[in-house]
Amino acid sequence: MSTGSCPIDHAALGAAAPDSEGTGAASCPVSANAAAFDPFGDAYQADPPASLRWSRDEEPVFYSPSLGYWVVTRYDDVKAVFRDNITFSPSIALEKITPVSEEATATLAKYDYGMNRTLVNEDEPEHMPRRRVLMEPFTPEQLAHHEPMVRRLTREYVDRFVDSGKADLVDEMLWEVPLTVALHFLGVPEEDMATLRKFSIAHTVNTWGRPSPEEQVTVAENVGKFWQYAGTVLDKLRKDPSGHGWMPFSIRAQREHPDIITDSYLHSIMMAGIVAAHETTANAAANAIKLLLENRSVWEEICADPGLIPNAVEECLRHSGSVAAWRRLVTKDTTVGGVPIPKGAKLLIVNSSANRDERHFDNADDVDIRRDNATDHLTFGYGSHQCMGKNLARMELQVFLEELTRRLPHMELVPDQKFTYVPNTSFRGPEHLWVQWDPSANPERTDPSILATRLQLRIGEPSKRAISRPVTVRSIERAADDVVEVTLESATGAPLPAWSPGAHIDLELGELSRQYSLCGDPDDRATYRIAVLRDPDSRGGSAYVHEELRPGSTLAMRGPRNHFRLDPSARHYVFVAGGIGITPIVAMADRVKAAGGSYELHYCGRSTTAMALLDRVRRDHGDRLHLHSTADGTRLDVAALLAEPAEGTQIYACGPERLLTALADATAHWPDDALHVEHFTTTQRVLDPSVEHGFDVELADSGLTVHVGADQTVLAALRAANIDIPSDCEEGLCGTCEAPVLDGEVDHRDVVLTKPERAANTKMMTCCSRACGSKLTLAL
Ligand code: HEM
Ligand code: FES
């Protein structure tokens, strides 16, 4: 398994490289933790992300001598590797992690085993044309046809054990239902289930595990039989490929594209497709149910409100996904997270660790089914190879949770059971999941009508709009002329999520959704505070807060989310707040003060009576505070304040557009990343077709071209073409609808991207930005 020799160029690193004792003097830069890393050891097997916390914190990219792989553990680095499938080839994704013994190879040869590249491990330029040709059965309309089958199967399996009081959910449902669904999806006849189950397990160990030489031969026997079985079924289907399913579709596609869909590909995908669709989903379901039952209050919440199930599925996939790590081969000398990696190196990209990276997910170890960015998880990979079956898997998980929460809400884990996992680096789920309940308390015994209810399934990722949590208004107090300070508390009594200065929440106010920066104490998990100015031009949001809200009112809240993060490394901070823009700024100033940092706070307003939170700001920041009131003739001279660029100084500002534009002008000669701003409003609201022009958007991954009309946003045009893009504010404020740009000049109209980001022209906000010319190419 080990490469035998250390791949690190010690001479190039010189004495600066740490050795295993961290002295920096000796030769080998592999740290003690890296040397001890063992993905087959108990710690990784029990909880991969927890076992790699040290790496995320201290050494996010490291070489593992025992594995012969570089291991990547932070969110941004894992995503960057997934994103670039040219530098980081997927060709080794299914390679055996333990080299095969001669005897096992001979056994496989006996069965003419010829597993070839499929999709997941195919390089460009072969991969993308194949993916595009084979995409259709995965569209939402096609997947919708499978829903009745998934539901029928799930109900049948639950019927079998619902009155027994105890079940191993893996053996009695979660293994077989996804297998049958996979077979249906592929269009394979529904036979030989027990044999397939054996084949499937054998295949996992063969690819990702560390079997002993003797085990290897047994495993090879099963894999060989699996291969032959796949061939037999394929021959059967070839005789009549008119049926439904991905395989008949692929056989038909072969007629039109024989060079893209080859014979060897068809045989390989027949076998690999079963594994891809089956085990991943079975494991994901077992992980999800285990996690929810371990977090009883969350389980009870979804029992009480099944509308939360799509969010719960996503959070479970993030927290305890079924693909723990994936692999890539480095095709040229490069860097990952700043660490030089040579051509030919192999990477273990631990997506389960990325999914628990605090740098991307606040309170990453908590199970929060209202987490705003759960869908950012990398359990399905990312980029051009992202899982094609993700929405089928999501559908299955939703149906499982829906049926189980409705019929067995009182189910609990059998206490003290020891969970075991098939030892391997990548696929992860408990082998058994024992649950128990009192059958006499089954709700269907007293109310059989519950059997007839069903949720409207959502195919695709959950809508961000659906991810809200109820909050209650504790108090509303006057904070200045036309400003009220609102204190919110959790309506369920559960602690509110932690947040960091600069974060905002979205409140549903009647028909409207509005964003407000948090200005309270981030350590207070019981309440949130916001300050709301009554805007005379209000589209209804601030008027609603001032007129309708009362202590005790309940509101739906989304977030918190932070697009205005404080960089902790600055030497000095200049905070500038205009009017109600004080809200995020005061939280930032509090944080810097508490950390003993150097800062100054400029607070501008019409008059001191109109300036919210003034008493608090004076009390807490008196000696650093510079008040600028128009009424008192002490307006801020922005140009004078920022005349001299100061190295290590960061400017954070929030306020009206006029102030922010003045700051942008005054810092034109400062380093590009010195000024950070949070806007109240966007300048663009309505599209006027008499001044706009229509253009085409080409989607590189899916091969589609979508026309965007002069009166339409890119987001609306993509949605109309069934391309699922999350969105939130839909006015260029929040950054949710970002899409990567490959070609064409963007007419940026958002207030999210920085100056250098706009100049780079590699991303755009699809809800508002447009094309300068007649075409844009997006990496979607
Ligand atoms: C690819 C995970 C279910 C079909 C992948 C990849 C991952 C993954 C990590 C590689 C992504 C990359 O390299 O960026 C999962 C998980 C599932 C699941 C966690 C269940 C929870 C399914 C299902 C199907 C499926 C149900 C089929 C019906 C595929 C295919 C690819 C793939 C065809 C290759 C796509 C390509 O390379 O272009 N999956 N998968 N998966 N998955 Fe899934
Ligand atoms: Fe908020 Fe586009 S949806 S920036």
Side-chain angles (χ1 to χ4, degrees):
M1 168 114 22
S2 163
T3 53
S5 64
C6 184
I8 296 166
D9 183 353
H10 297 170
L13 289 170
D19 66 353
S20 55
E21 266 84 51
T23 62
S27 55
C28 186
V30 174
S31 69
N33 276 329
F37 173 68
D38 176 10
F40 300 98
D42 291 346
Y44 183 91
Q45 290 302 319
D47 189 347
S51 77
L52 282 165
R53 176 181 295 284
W54 67 270
S55 162
R56 291 194 295 282
D57 289 345
E58 294 159 29
E59 201 183 354
V61 179
F62 68 89
Y63 181 73
S64 159
S66 75
L67 198 60
Y69 275 65
W70 290 81
V71 183
V72 184
T73 60
R74 274 193 192 163
Y75 184 88
D76 285 350
D77 296 336
V78 171
K79 192 162 176 176
V81 172
F82 270 127
R83 188 180 275 133
D84 180 356
N85 64 327
I86 307 298
T87 309
F88 306 106
S89 153
S91 54
I92 58 165
L94 304 181
E95 192 178 83
K96 281 144 211 48
I97 214 156
T98 303
V100 188
S101 69
E102 273 181 29
E103 219 182 330
T105 310
T107 308
L108 287 171
K110 200 171 73 188
Y111 290 97
D112 289 333
Y113 181 71
M115 174 64 99
N116 222 315
R117 297 279 182 96
T118 56
L119 274 169
V120 78
N121 55 355
E122 184 67 282
D123 281 316
E124 304 306 344
E126 282 75 23
H127 162 258
M128 199 42 84
R130 197 178 276 174
R131 181 173 164 111
R132 283 187 199 148
V133 167
L134 298 176
M135 193 65 113
E136 198 185 304
F138 295 94
T139 57
E141 312 84 77
Q142 297 289 324
L143 289 180
H145 295 307
H146 297 286
E147 186 197 332
M149 174 262 300
V150 173
R151 205 173 277 279
R152 176 179 53 77
L153 279 169
T154 310
R155 288 193 170 187
E156 272 171 28
Y157 275 76
V158 177
D159 283 345
R160 291 182 198 170
F161 59 72
V162 71
D163 289 318
S164 69
K166 191 171 177 183
D168 172 3
L169 287 182
V170 174
D171 265 2
E172 295 175 52
M173 170 178 167
L174 300 178
W175 195 266
E176 292 193 1
V177 177
L179 176 55
T180 313
V181 171
L183 293 172
H184 274 288
F185 178 78
L186 289 165
V188 169
E190 214 182 305
E191 51 203 30
D192 250 349
M193 248 202 228
T195 325
L196 262 176
R197 175 186 165 136
K198 207 170 68 188
F199 289 157
S200 235
I201 292 187
H203 190 263
T204 305
V205 178
N206 180 50
T207 307
W208 284 277
R210 194 184 247 176
S212 67
E214 303 77 57
E215 282 165 341
Q216 277 197 24
V217 177
T218 322
V219 163
E221 280 288 339
N222 283 318
V223 171
K225 287 180 191 152
F226 192 178
W227 176 253
Q228 278 198 339
Y229 170 84
T232 315
V233 177
L234 184 61
D235 289 343
K236 221 188 288 179
L237 290 174
R238 271 187 203 283
K239 289 193 186 113
D240 177 14
S242 63
H244 290 295
W246 199 32
M247 287 316 296
F249 178 89
S250 303
I251 295 169
R252 294 196 297 273
Q254 190 186 31
R255 292 181 188 158
E256 273 180 56
H257 308 278
D259 48 331
I260 298 180
I261 315 290
T262 59
D263 280 345
S264 121
Y265 164 74
L266 278 181
H267 195 164
S268 299
I269 198 79
M270 179 76 230
M271 178 167 152
I274 296 173
V275 180
H278 170 211
E279 276 178 74
T280 48
T281 314
N283 282 331
N287 288 339
I289 294 165
K290 173 172 176 285
L291 185 69
L292 292 170
L293 290 176
E294 282 168 347
N295 290 270
R296 187 83 208 170
S297 59
V298 183
W299 172 262
E300 281 167 8
E301 247 186 294
I302 63 171
C303 290
D305 180 1
L308 294 168
I309 287 175
N311 307 345
V313 164
E314 222 52 36
E315 176 65 348
C316 289
L317 284 167
R318 180 197 71 85
H319 188 282
S320 298
S322 51
V323 170
W326 210 244
R327 287 182 283 160
R328 291 285 192 258
L329 176 70
V330 178
T331 60
K332 60 174 189 227
D333 289 355
T334 185
T335 57
V336 177
V339 176
I341 312 265
K343 176 179 174 176
K346 294 177 176 185
L347 303 184
L348 186 73
I349 41 176
V350 191
N351 43 345
S352 57
S353 166
N355 288 345
R356 299 264 279 275
D357 185 349
E358 292 283 346
R359 290 152 203 83
H360 193 86
F361 299 102
D362 288 331
N363 312 309
D365 289 337
D366 292 358
V367 180
D368 178 358
I369 56 173
R370 294 185 178 85
R371 185 182 293 281
D372 200 64
N373 61 351
T375 51
D376 288 355
H377 69 73
L378 299 174
T379 299
F380 292 124
Y382 185 77
S384 56
H385 286 269
Q386 196 188 41
C387 178
M388 287 164 80
K390 62 185 179 177
N391 290 335
L392 179 60
R394 283 179 169 131
M395 179 207 283
E396 292 183 56
L397 296 176
Q398 284 185 42
V399 173
F400 296 163
L401 287 184
E402 191 194 327
E403 295 293 325
L404 288 171
T405 50
R406 180 163 2 92
R407 299 181 67 181
L408 293 172
H410 49 319
M411 163 174 111
E412 57 181 27
L413 288 173
V414 168
D416 302 325
Q417 62 184 308
K418 192 167 159 21
F419 296 103
T420 56
Y421 296 83
V422 175
N424 77 100
T425 52
S426 297
F427 281 10
R428 187 163 191 286
E431 288 181 289
H432 302 281
L433 182 65
W434 282 101
V435 291
Q436 63 188 21
W437 64 95
D438 172 6
S440 70
N442 287 1
E444 63 205 57
R445 295 201 181 181
T446 44
D447 179 9
S449 73
I450 64 157
L451 291 174
T453 43
R454 65 174 51 179
L455 275 184
Q456 179 71 34
L457 259 192
R458 184 185 160 86
I459 298 178
E461 64 183 35
S463 143
K464 292 231 172 185
R465 294 226 169 266
I467 308 178
S468 66
R469 71 188 82 224
V471 287
T472 308
V473 176
R474 181 188 278 188
S475 62
I476 307 177
E477 279 158 19
R478 187 181 175 282
D481 295 349
D482 288 328
V483 181
V484 287
E485 186 173 354
V486 182
T487 303
L488 302 164
E489 61 193 356
S490 160
T492 60
L496 293 166
W499 58 280
S500 47
H504 67 265
I505 53 171
D506 288 55
L507 289 181
E508 301 288 336
L509 302 167
E511 297 295 300
L512 299 163
S513 169
R514 287 289 170 266
Q515 302 187 333
Y516 298 103
S517 297
L518 293 172
C519 62
D521 172 4
D523 292 330
D524 175 4
R525 302 280 300 270
T527 62
Y528 281 171
R529 278 152 59 196
I530 57 172
V532 181
L533 170 71
R534 185 189 190 106
D535 175 0
D537 301 327
S538 167
R539 287 174 286 162
S542 70
Y544 187 97
V545 170
H546 280 255
E547 286 160 24
E548 310 281 334
L549 275 198
R550 299 278 174 272
S553 303
T554 296
L555 296 170
M557 177 190 87
R558 285 178 285 125
R561 212 159 349 131
N562 201 339
H563 299 302
F564 189 42
R565 278 183 199 272
L566 193 63
D567 172 356
S569 67
R571 236 184 274 160
H572 180 73
Y573 297 86
V574 176
F575 293 118
V576 183
I580 197 64
I582 190 66
T583 49
I585 295 295
V586 72
M588 290 185 165
D590 288 352
R591 170 62 53 90
V592 172
K593 181 184 175 191
S598 161
Y599 71 102
E600 60 196 78
L601 169 56
H602 298 266
Y603 186 6
C604 319
R606 271 184 291 119
S607 68
T608 48
T609 57
M611 292 164 78
L613 311 177
L614 193 54
D615 290 346
R616 169 178 157 194
V617 174
R618 277 189 168 127
R619 183 192 68 212
D620 295 342
H621 302 284
D623 55 340
R624 311 288 173 95
L625 176 66
H626 305 263
L627 272 186
H628 305 279
S629 139
T630 315
D632 299 340
T634 52
R635 273 183 93 133
L636 172 63
D637 182 347
V638 172
L641 176 70
L642 301 168
E644 286 302 318
E647 214 194 307
T649 292
Q650 302 265 347
I651 307 149
Y652 287 82
C654 181
E657 288 299 317
R658 219 180 38 251
L659 173 68
L660 302 184
T661 309
L663 284 165
D665 293 345
T667 52
H669 59 302
W670 282 61
D672 275 346
D673 57 358
L675 175 65
H676 309 260
V677 293
E678 173 97 319
H679 295 250
F680 290 166
T681 53
T682 46
T683 43
Q684 303 284 335
R685 275 185 198 157
V686 187
L687 283 172
D688 177 353
S690 65
V691 290
E692 306 293 353
H693 67 278
F695 53 94
D696 284 342
V697 172
E698 187 182 306
L699 306 176
D701 289 0
S702 48
L704 290 174
T705 298
V706 175
H707 183 73
V708 182
D711 59 348
Q712 213 183 8
T713 62
V714 174
L715 181 69
L718 293 178
R719 291 225 171 116
N722 257 323
I723 312 287
D724 209 3
I725 295 214
S727 73
D728 217 318
C729 69
E730 299 193 7
E731 49 178 331
L733 288 170
C734 72
T736 311
C737 65
E738 180 181 314
V741 179
L742 296 176
D743 200 21
E745 201 183 331
V746 180
D747 172 5
H748 291 287
R749 300 184 181 186
D750 61 282
V751 291
V752 176
L753 297 179
T754 60
K755 234 185 332 173
E757 280 173 327
R758 284 172 179 233
N761 203 56
T762 54
K763 39 186 141 171
M764 73 180 288
M765 298 303 144
T766 53
C767 67
C768 60
S769 298
R770 306 180 67 79
C772 293
S774 59
K775 193 170 142 194
L776 289 175
T777 307
L778 304 183
L780 292 174

